[in-house]
Amino acid sequence: LTQKILKYINDNINESLTLDSICHRFYISKPQLCRIFKAATGSTVQNYINAKRLINAKRMLNSGISPTRVAVLNGFNDYSVFYRAFCKEYGTTPKQEYNKV
């Protein structure tokens, strides 16, 4: 089941992924999802999703796509959430990463 969940998340990483939507898709409860995901990956579902989105965002910024566009393309509905997460993960702003190109 964990492999199916991981595939679903990876295939839909740019969409609005929530614990509720994943639970609904696989007919399991939130506690069950969190428990099996953490046991299999060592990470929470939300941390995994954010990490995948930020890796993809950094790659896109380095290819010359603007920070605001990158935020939208990676499923961040609010630029400030993207900005804070990016700064926390990489120690630099999305704009600084974009300007490296």
Side-chain angles (χ1 to χ4, degrees):
L1 180 61
T2 306
Q3 292 302 320
K4 289 179 182 178
I5 293 169
L6 285 169
K7 181 174 176 10
Y8 176 75
I9 291 170
N10 291 331
D11 290 348
N12 296 285
I13 198 70
N14 299 337
E15 305 300 320
S16 177
L17 288 172
T18 64
L19 287 178
D20 287 331
S21 67
I22 296 168
C23 290
H24 180 72
R25 172 83 164 90
F26 292 97
Y27 305 105
I28 59 175
S29 68
K30 282 186 197 179
Q32 184 181 11
L33 170 64
C34 294
R35 190 172 43 255
I36 64 171
F37 196 89
K38 179 87 170 187
T41 66
S43 174
T44 66
V45 176
Q46 197 58 50
N47 286 347
Y48 179 83
I49 291 169
N50 285 340
K52 293 292 277 187
R53 286 179 172 168
L54 289 171
I55 290 167
N56 195 38
K58 187 171 185 176
R59 183 183 53 76
M60 294 172 97
L61 288 167
N62 289 326
S63 69
I65 301 172
S66 75
T68 51
R69 183 87 177 119
V70 167
V72 171
L73 291 174
N74 284 286
F76 289 96
N77 296 327
D78 185 351
Y79 184 78
S80 64
V81 172
F82 168 64
Y83 182 90
R84 284 192 306 273
F86 194 91
C87 291
K88 183 178 177 184
E89 182 68 25
Y90 296 113
T92 183
T93 67
K95 184 79 169 177
Q96 290 169 331
E97 191 68 33
Y98 172 72
N99 288 335
K100 288 181 184 178
V101 178

